[in-house]
Amino acid sequence: MTDLTKRTAAETAAAIANGEVSAVEVAEAHLDRIAKVDDRINAFLHVDAEGALAAARAVDAKRAAGEKLGPLAGVPLALKDLFTTRGIPTTCGSKILEGWLPPYDATVTRRLREADVVILGKSNMDEFAMGSSTENSAYGPTRNPWDLDRIPGGSGGGSAAALASFQAPLAIGTDTGGSIRQPGAVTGTVGVKPTYGGVSRYGMVAFSSSLDQGGPCARTVLDAALLHEAIAGYDMLDSTSIDAPVPAVVEAAKLGATQGIKGLRVGVVKQFAGEGYQAGVVQRFQESVELLRALGAEIVEIDCPSFDFALPAYYLIAPSECSSNLARFDAMRYGLRVGDDGAHSAEEVTALTREAGFGAEVKRRIMLGTYALSSGYYDAYYGQAQKVRTLIIRDFEAAFTQVDVLVSPTTPTTAFKIGERADDPMAMYLADLCTIPTNLAGNAGMSLPCGLAPEDGLPVGLQILAPAMADDRLYRVGAALEAALLEQWGRPILDLAPAL
């Protein structure tokens, strides 16, 4: 492995800006790495080598012309295949969109290009972002670089695995119920769910519109902050976009790493503990809380009783919105079309296409959501779930009057084996137990690695939660803890992963 693929995004950008290395050399190193290892990982669904090298050459030309380069110019990135990319396949991990070439870029894609980020390709994911393991991709599961028999989390397992296997220093994910943070936790990487509305959803194919949020994935907190600032900000094309300045996340990350968190109030959520939590996960989490205390934070236990009902509320709200959003895949406008032979009606073509194009998990959620929204059941199910959502929001509001941030394990367990929970949807859904409340409330959340579980040697994630539009608090606390842990370990956690 070349040194170029092991550098952080910040280091890579600095090396390109000062002429130590060219953007083309960086892109080539990462494309070579993909060619070497991705047949075992399956992190990418499509590699755009030609586009990546063209973008890298443009960065080198700018530097040669004396133009000032941005903070991420020339840095390679894996883009989750939920974001439209003009002229490049966007499948959402589904057969129903196989071969679809979007005619436009998502706002996130456009902002990445404007920042001169080099998009290597599209990363694998659970179909339409529905899953917690990336086993639901129509193009095969992604494997965890720490153990190829285990899942890399989901739905954004491709993005997290690309980071952990040094195929890209940056990635973009989406988080509907934990799909950025949970993969980050089980792969030893950093994942951030920004405040809902903080990053535009225009061109991000919808699963659950009131919950979906794109965000940065990286190997360090500072790299995540740099990517966050590149993609965030108001977008008039997204009606839910927040028209307010982007929180100063890069400044907060630098402040946390250098000045610490003395005096900050950190809340430990009482509900995120107990039965079902792996002993090694609990141990590493408790050690991290004590480290935060040693760094000068005030630790407070916080009671959020409605969090116990977050999981069932989520699995009524998300499928309900999904059943509405996925109705657009009717075989009439784009994507797969089955049975269009003149012998079938339009309704029959739609039914045959959905039968062939949607996978089992997507069908399960569409049926669940359609049932929850049906006449006579709407108030009993969807309506009640929205009331629980309000209670969760109130619990967060009460908690943030007492503390600056909340912390918890990101996931109850480390990465489980591929196929282990495939026939048990409830066991699979429990992987998102700690992450879902944040999506229901629209707050900001981060996962960062806090060690390896003693019983299996796999990464454990610590989750930090902050109020809406206080994303900078995540980065200050995350950077302080990251620096303290790095001092303890003596090297980055990914250096402990088995060589590929």
Side-chain angles (χ1 to χ4, degrees):
M1 187 188 304
T2 69
D3 287 339
L4 292 180
T5 60
K6 294 204 74 173
R7 293 184 181 186
T8 68
E11 290 167 348
T12 299
I16 292 169
N18 65 29
E20 177 191 331
V21 67
S22 72
V24 168
E25 288 174 314
V26 171
E28 287 175 339
H30 285 87
L31 290 168
D32 289 347
R33 177 68 177 168
I34 293 169
K36 180 182 177 183
V37 306
D38 202 48
D39 60 334
R40 285 168 283 162
I41 302 295
N42 197 28
F44 283 90
L45 292 178
H46 177 79
V47 177
D48 182 25
E50 185 179 333
L53 291 171
R57 284 192 290 269
V59 172
D60 289 337
K62 281 187 176 181
R63 186 186 175 280
E67 295 183 36
K68 190 175 187 315
L69 298 181
L72 289 177
V75 179
L77 174 140
L79 179 61
K80 188 175 183 179
D81 200 26
L82 201 67
F83 291 87
T84 57
T85 41
R86 184 175 182 178
I88 299 171
T90 299
T91 69
C92 302
S94 178
K95 288 289 184 186
I96 209 164
L97 279 177
E98 188 171 18
W100 180 55
L101 300 176
Y104 69 102
D105 277 339
T107 295
V108 164
T109 307
R110 176 177 58 78
R111 287 179 173 169
L112 290 170
R113 297 193 198 283
E114 289 171 351
D116 290 321
V117 171
V118 174
I119 300 173
L120 295 170
K122 309 298 285 294
S123 62
N124 200 6
M125 55 180 284
D126 283 303
E127 186 178 6
F128 288 105
M130 297 180 202
S132 304
S133 64
T134 317
E135 292 173 280
N136 294 327
S137 170
Y139 306 98
T142 298
R143 297 179 181 273
N144 192 325
W146 287 83
D147 181 343
L148 298 182
D149 292 328
R150 294 180 185 267
I151 59 99
S155 62
S159 290
L163 297 172
S165 56
F166 298 97
Q167 297 183 66
L170 295 174
I172 295 290
T174 65
D175 198 306
T176 305
S179 293
I180 288 175
R181 290 163 288 155
Q182 186 248 13
V186 300
T187 59
T189 58
V190 178
V192 179
K193 185 204 92 70
T195 296
Y196 180 79
V199 173
S200 173
R201 292 187 299 111
Y202 178 75
M204 188 179 96
V205 180
F207 158 22
S208 180
S209 301
S210 74
L211 301 166
D212 297 340
Q213 184 58 65
C217 311
R219 293 196 288 260
T220 71
V221 172
L222 177 59
D223 284 358
L226 290 165
L227 184 54
H228 188 143
E229 285 201 352
I231 62 173
Y234 176 65
D235 178 20
M236 65 181 294
L237 299 174
D238 175 3
S239 63
T240 59
S241 181
I242 298 172
D243 190 2
V246 178
V249 294
V250 172
E251 181 185 339
K254 292 176 178 177
L255 189 67
T258 57
Q259 297 186 28
I261 53 169
K262 188 174 178 60
L264 252 69
R265 299 166 300 163
V266 175
V268 177
V269 181
K270 178 182 173 183
Q271 280 67 27
F272 292 150
E275 187 180 349
Y277 286 78
Q278 185 177 322
V281 170
V282 174
Q283 180 183 335
R284 293 296 178 241
F285 170 67
Q286 290 175 343
E287 290 169 355
S288 298
V289 170
E290 289 309 310
L291 187 52
L292 289 169
R293 193 192 306 273
L295 291 172
E298 178 190 348
I299 307 299
V300 181
E301 185 178 72
I302 297 293
D303 187 14
C304 297
S306 63
F307 284 16
D308 287 336
F309 308 106
L311 194 70
Y314 173 88
Y315 278 103
L316 285 167
I317 293 169
S320 296
E321 295 184 5
C322 131
S323 73
S324 175
N325 278 322
L326 268 61
R328 72 192 63 179
F329 299 103
D330 55 7
M332 299 297 137
R333 287 166 284 190
Y334 38 69
L336 183 69
R337 182 178 293 176
V338 176
D340 186 15
D341 54 8
H344 296 93
S345 68
E347 290 82 0
E348 288 170 334
V349 169
T350 297
L352 289 167
T353 300
R354 288 172 175 168
E355 169 60 29
F358 287 144
E361 182 62 26
V362 171
K363 290 173 183 172
R364 179 185 291 118
R365 297 199 194 195
I366 289 173
M367 288 188 289
L368 180 61
T370 303
Y371 179 79
L373 292 176
S374 60
S375 177
Y377 295 100
Y378 180 95
D379 290 333
Y381 294 115
Y382 185 76
Q384 287 295 101
Q386 291 289 18
K387 291 176 183 176
V388 170
R389 187 178 197 169
T390 300
L391 295 176
I392 290 168
I393 292 169
R394 289 175 182 170
D395 272 359
F396 269 118
E397 289 172 347
F400 288 128
T401 64
Q402 303 174 63
V403 294
D404 299 300
V405 297
L406 299 170
V407 294
S408 76
T410 308
T411 59
T413 69
T414 55
F416 49 89
K417 293 206 167 186
I418 291 173
E420 186 178 306
R421 302 185 186 180
D423 297 324
D424 189 351
M426 275 308 299
M428 186 74 78
Y429 297 164
L430 287 169
D432 300 327
L433 194 64
C434 303
T435 52
I436 278 173
T438 316
N439 297 87
L440 290 169
N443 297 330
M446 169 190 285
S447 177
L448 75 157
C450 64
L452 304 179
E455 60 265 54
D456 55 24
L458 294 171
V460 175
L462 174 110
Q463 179 176 230
I464 306 167
L465 305 175
M469 295 307 289
D471 304 47
D472 52 311
R473 297 185 195 177
L474 303 176
Y475 289 93
R476 183 173 178 188
V477 175
L481 182 59
E482 179 184 61
L485 288 168
L486 186 58
E487 189 175 335
Q488 280 188 1
W489 299 333
R491 54 180 172 164
I493 193 170
L494 288 171
D495 285 359
L496 304 174
L500 290 169

